[in-house]
Every structure is written in structure tokens, then in C-alpha cells.
Amino acid sequence: MTPPASPSVRPAPAGEPRAPGTALLLVLLAAMGVGPLFNYGVSMSSTVVIDRLGVTSGQLGTVLTVVFASAAMTSVGLGRAADRLSSRVQMSIIFGGSAAALTVGAVASTLGALYAAAVLAGVTQAISNPTTNRIIRTAVPADRRIGWIGVKQSGVQVSQLVAGLFFPAAALALGWTAASLAAAGLAAVLWAAAVAAAPPLPGSSGARAAARDAAARGGVDRAGSTRAPLPPTVWFFAAIAFLTGLGMQATNTYLPLFAVESLGLSLVAGGAAAAASGVIGVFSRIWWGRRMSAGHRPTTLLAGIAVGALAGVGVFLAADLAHVPALLWAGAAVHGLTVLGANVVINAGLMDAVPAEHLGRATGVNAMGMYAGFACGPLVMGLLRDATGDFRLGFAAVGAGYALALVAVLLLRRHTDRAAAGSTG
């Protein structure tokens, strides 16, 4: 992919955002990837963490449930905050919170202590999409925004790649504490870089000015938040994010353990499969973003993603039922190619559907749906694994979620077609 051009020495015309450089794009990518380092660290080090804490596979899955329940419960409030706080404050929440979560997790000796780290990790991830979407909407020219969304969303998969290559080997060789503290140090270094590169977006004073303008139009309550309801499209996207997120995170969380318990592979091999999925996901998210830039409808792309994700579930089940470990890699590839790209399409669709002053709130609602799905996925997969002794019923539940996501996409398409017909009629 051709990197975005560096800012020109010629000042931008009045009223247009100054052309951003590659440094900002890398900061946004890191902002999306640093929060999930805790999640992936726990997942990729699963057998080490299970032995350290003396818990079951299902109980380990509840750690990820706590992460995403925390994110879901704080997403709407933090989405509103993203419309008010300066970018540097928001970057400090993201990177500083991630470093804190990894540090607390490193010294945790009980499941309850790991839950505390999970709560911190959830808060940092809840604000990452609203923050990065707001920066892109404000600082990036319109013709480059979708491409930037594709790149910054791939930060999650970059995190998956790094964690898949680092955590299994480091946890086995050095222990969970050393591995997690090393990741915390990386988050702290990235924090300093992010604060230095963050654009000077309006802080609370800018938000108050926007609130006064909106109040003059009769649309703000005493707290300064808009009363105007979000369009139905936002809620459709949130439902799709929930259903795809459920399957995505269930698979991400348990893929290494599935490789060990069901296919007889090593934890390092399972982590490598997850890392391979992350590598493919990086390019997949950029590719899905380019499809959006080329003018394809979000519903068309999301329907293809849902169908492909169902095929990936079929590959994982075939690997288990036929005991063909090689199919693990094919399933990981399909997973990376399909469902890992859903958030790019959803976020790009939101940016088109919602005015700039409501984007943080709309992204927060969408993030609430996504993180609720992320919370339910590992919980459902873990409970079904403990109840049945394998992952087959869990993957069947993931497939059901993808099928429902396809139904939601088709309903959204019908809604947008009717809205378009009504506006022209």
C-alpha cells in the first residue's frame, strides 16, 4: 500500500484540514493495537496462565468476557467524551491504560486480580475507535479517510501478530510475569510517541462551543449532549458488530487452545496460527477499506464477509471432526480474510451516515455492540467447551452468530433502499 503523503510545506487552504503524515497514521494504528495486547497476551499464553492461576479453560475465557463487558459498559460514555476531550488526553487513556492493565496482569496471582486488569484493558479499548475515528474525520481529507480507516483498523491484527509471535515463546521461556511486563514497557514507549504526534484537536472548550451552537438550534440538553436521535443505520451496524464480534473474539481467544486440545499441536504452533490470521487480517482490512473507497455498498461487503465467515467455521469443524491439523491454517486464513474486516466496513459506513459532531457518540454505540459481542463470544465458547469437552458446539454457536449477522445485513440493505426510495420519491 502506498503510504500517505507527508504534509506539504504549503499551508492548507482555510477551512480544509492540513494533509496528515505517515507518523499520525502509525499512531492511529498503534492506538487500535495497544489495547488488545492484554487480550491476546492472555489468550496466546493460555496454558501458562491456566497453570499459574489453577483455573479451567472456561474460567480463562471469562477474563476476556470481563475485558469486553467493561468496554461495552463504558463505550457510549467514552464515545461522548471523544467529542469533547483533546486528542492527547484520549491517547493517554488508551496507551497509559493499556500499560497499567498489562502491569496489573503481570503480577496477578488470582483470577480476581486478573479480572481487575481486564477491567482496565476494557476501558482503554472502549475509547480507541471513537478517538481514532474523530481524528480521521477532523484531520484527514475526505478522499483519504476510508483508506486510513482500513489501515488503522488493521492495528488490531498487527497486535494479534505481535502477540502470537511473542507471548507463547516468552511465557514458556520466561514466565507470564516477564512477558506481560515487557508488553507493558512497549505500551509506555508508544504512549510517549503518541502524545508527541497527536494532532491538536479541540478540547473541552471546543466542545462547549459546539454545544452552544447546537443549543441555538434547540438540540442540546443541560449536559451538553445532543438530543437528536441517531439514525437507524447506526443501530443496524451495532447489531452486525455484535454478531460478528461474538464469533470473531470467540475464535481469537480459543484458537491457540483449540490447536492444543483438539488437534494435538503445541501452544507455539497454535499461537503461530493465530498470528498468521492476524497477518492476513492486516491486509484484509486494508483490502476491504479499498473496496469501500471504490464505491461498493457496505451491505454488499458485509454480506460477503458473513458468508465467508460461515465457511471458515466449517473449516474449523472439519479440522476437528476429521482430525486434520493442516486445516487449522486454512481456517485461520479464512477467518483473517473475512470477519476480521467487518469493523473496517462498519466504521467507514458510520462515517458516511453520521455528521461529524455526532461521530463519537455513534461510534460509541457501535463499539458497545461490538464489545458486547466480544464479551459474549469467549464466554459462550468457554462454557460450551467445559460442558462438552471439545470446541465443536462452540464453533456451531459461532456459525449461528454469523448467520444472524447475514440476516441483519439484509435487513439493513432493505432499510437503506427504502430510505433512498423515499428521499427521491
Side-chain angles (χ1 to χ4, degrees):
M1 194 192 81
T2 303
S6 299
S8 171
V9 294
R10 184 178 55 191
E16 294 184 11
R18 185 181 180 184
T22 304
L24 177 59
L25 181 58
L26 292 176
V27 163
L28 298 180
L29 184 145
M32 293 300 301
V34 71
L37 274 178
F38 175 84
N39 316 356
Y40 290 130
V42 171
S43 174
M44 304 299 182
S45 310
S46 54
T47 58
V48 176
V49 177
I50 287 171
D51 289 342
R52 173 185 171 88
L53 301 182
V55 297
T56 68
S57 301
Q59 288 173 323
L60 183 68
T62 62
V63 175
L64 279 299
T65 298
V66 171
V67 170
F68 299 123
S70 169
M73 287 187 291
T74 57
S75 287
V76 175
L78 289 171
R80 290 193 179 102
D83 290 329
R84 293 167 169 78
L85 299 175
S86 71
S87 60
R88 290 185 174 183
V89 170
Q90 294 179 61
M91 289 297 177
S92 295
I93 294 172
I94 294 170
F95 288 92
S98 179
L102 287 161
T103 300
V104 173
V107 300
S109 58
T110 65
L111 188 61
L114 201 57
Y115 283 161
V119 170
L120 290 173
V123 171
T124 69
Q125 292 168 64
I127 198 171
S128 59
N129 260 316
T131 296
T132 53
N133 281 355
R134 179 193 174 206
I135 289 173
I136 289 175
R137 181 64 177 263
T138 305
V140 179
D143 60 341
R144 299 168 65 189
R145 288 173 187 162
I146 293 177
W148 275 54
I149 290 174
V151 174
K152 69 97 172 176
Q153 291 294 138
S154 71
V156 178
Q157 270 54 65
V158 172
S159 178
Q160 184 178 359
L161 167 62
V162 171
L165 295 176
F166 170 74
F167 272 104
L172 289 171
L174 305 174
W176 162 251
T177 297
S180 189
L181 285 176
L186 173 62
V189 172
L190 292 173
W191 181 7
V195 169
L201 300 178
S204 57
S205 61
R208 285 194 295 269
R212 286 195 300 269
D213 292 343
R217 299 192 298 268
V220 171
D221 60 20
R222 285 179 301 175
S225 61
T226 58
R227 290 196 191 109
L230 295 171
T233 303
V234 172
W235 301 99
F236 275 111
F237 278 136
I240 296 165
F242 170 80
L243 293 165
T244 55
L246 185 151
M248 181 195 310
Q249 203 56 233
T251 304
N252 286 345
T253 300
Y254 280 104
L255 187 61
L257 204 59
F258 170 70
V260 173
E261 294 186 351
S262 297
L263 302 178
L265 300 174
S266 69
L267 181 63
V268 172
S277 178
V279 171
I280 294 169
V282 170
F283 295 100
S284 167
R285 289 190 163 194
I286 294 171
W287 186 85
W288 288 112
R290 287 181 172 175
R291 294 308 91 208
M292 282 288 292
S293 295
H296 293 279
R297 295 177 66 179
T299 50
T300 300
L301 300 180
L302 287 170
I305 285 171
V307 171
L310 277 168
V313 169
V315 175
F316 285 127
L317 287 172
D320 190 357
L321 293 169
H323 198 74
V324 181
L327 287 178
L328 174 72
W329 300 92
V334 176
H335 179 69
L337 287 169
T338 58
V339 72
L340 294 187
N343 283 333
V344 173
V345 179
I346 291 171
N347 277 278
L350 279 175
M351 200 162 288
D352 285 340
V354 180
E357 63 269 21
H358 301 317
L359 186 58
R361 184 162 62 109
T363 305
V365 168
N366 178 71
M368 178 180 65
M370 179 184 69
Y371 286 122
F374 283 3
C376 291
L379 178 63
V380 169
M381 182 75 92
L383 290 176
L384 291 175
R385 158 64 186 80
D386 284 354
T388 64
D390 58 46
F391 291 94
R392 295 169 187 174
L393 193 56
F395 276 119
V398 167
Y402 291 151
L404 289 173
L406 179 59
V407 172
V409 170
L410 296 177
L411 290 174
L412 172 58
R413 189 180 187 93
R414 185 173 70 173
H415 167 76
T416 55
D417 287 345
R418 287 180 174 177
S423 65
T424 58

